[in-house]
Amino acid sequence: MEKHKLETLPMAGAWVWALRLLAALGLLLPLLEWALPPLWMALFMPVLLAGYFFVACWYLPAWYRNLAFGLCQRQLVLQGGVFYQSQRCLPLQGLNGSVSFQSPLQRLFGAQTLCFLFPGRMVVLDGVPVERAGRLLADITALQQEPAP
């Protein structure tokens, strides 16, 4: 396969996920306070907050920095990983459908989610800029309508 240029995603997706986790944490804390004795809560709270800050400040930005996608030779190429890099090449002739949607939080950051349905798997690209998502879907549609070489 020839070398191809992949596009990376902006950090908007990381911010969206950090805010989602913060909302989940806000819902979880009153439940934990009610369910756990004060001593357990005093021990569990720093661990929970440290885990949140690790994920929000290091893992999510690292994930979005390493996540890249592109089209090459009638294939959707996805690359990503934090601890080890992986690259997947999915042929477009196996694409059964695609869906794009936006949550209100994603709309605030100008991002959206793309889901590609392949036989036996669903590939999700979260945090794609709206204009880039439209261009990617149009490119895929154009490639699928062309006759295969």
Side-chain angles (χ1 to χ4, degrees), residues 82-144:
V82 174
F83 299 111
Y84 64 92
Q85 291 286 315
S86 67
Q87 186 172 16
R88 290 175 285 180
C89 299
L90 303 164
L92 291 179
Q93 72 253 18
L95 182 64
N96 291 335
S98 60
V99 178
S100 66
F101 58 90
Q102 257 184 327
S103 69
L105 192 56
Q106 286 176 318
R107 198 171 301 122
L108 179 69
F109 285 97
Q112 71 182 51
T113 299
L114 295 176
C115 297
F116 298 102
L117 305 170
F118 289 93
R121 80 166 37 172
M122 180 172 72
V123 176
V124 178
L125 279 175
D126 193 25
V128 181
V130 174
E131 58 279 349
R132 179 57 189 125
R135 204 168 54 227
L136 179 65
L137 290 174
D139 290 348
I140 288 174
T141 303
L143 281 172
Q144 284 184 320

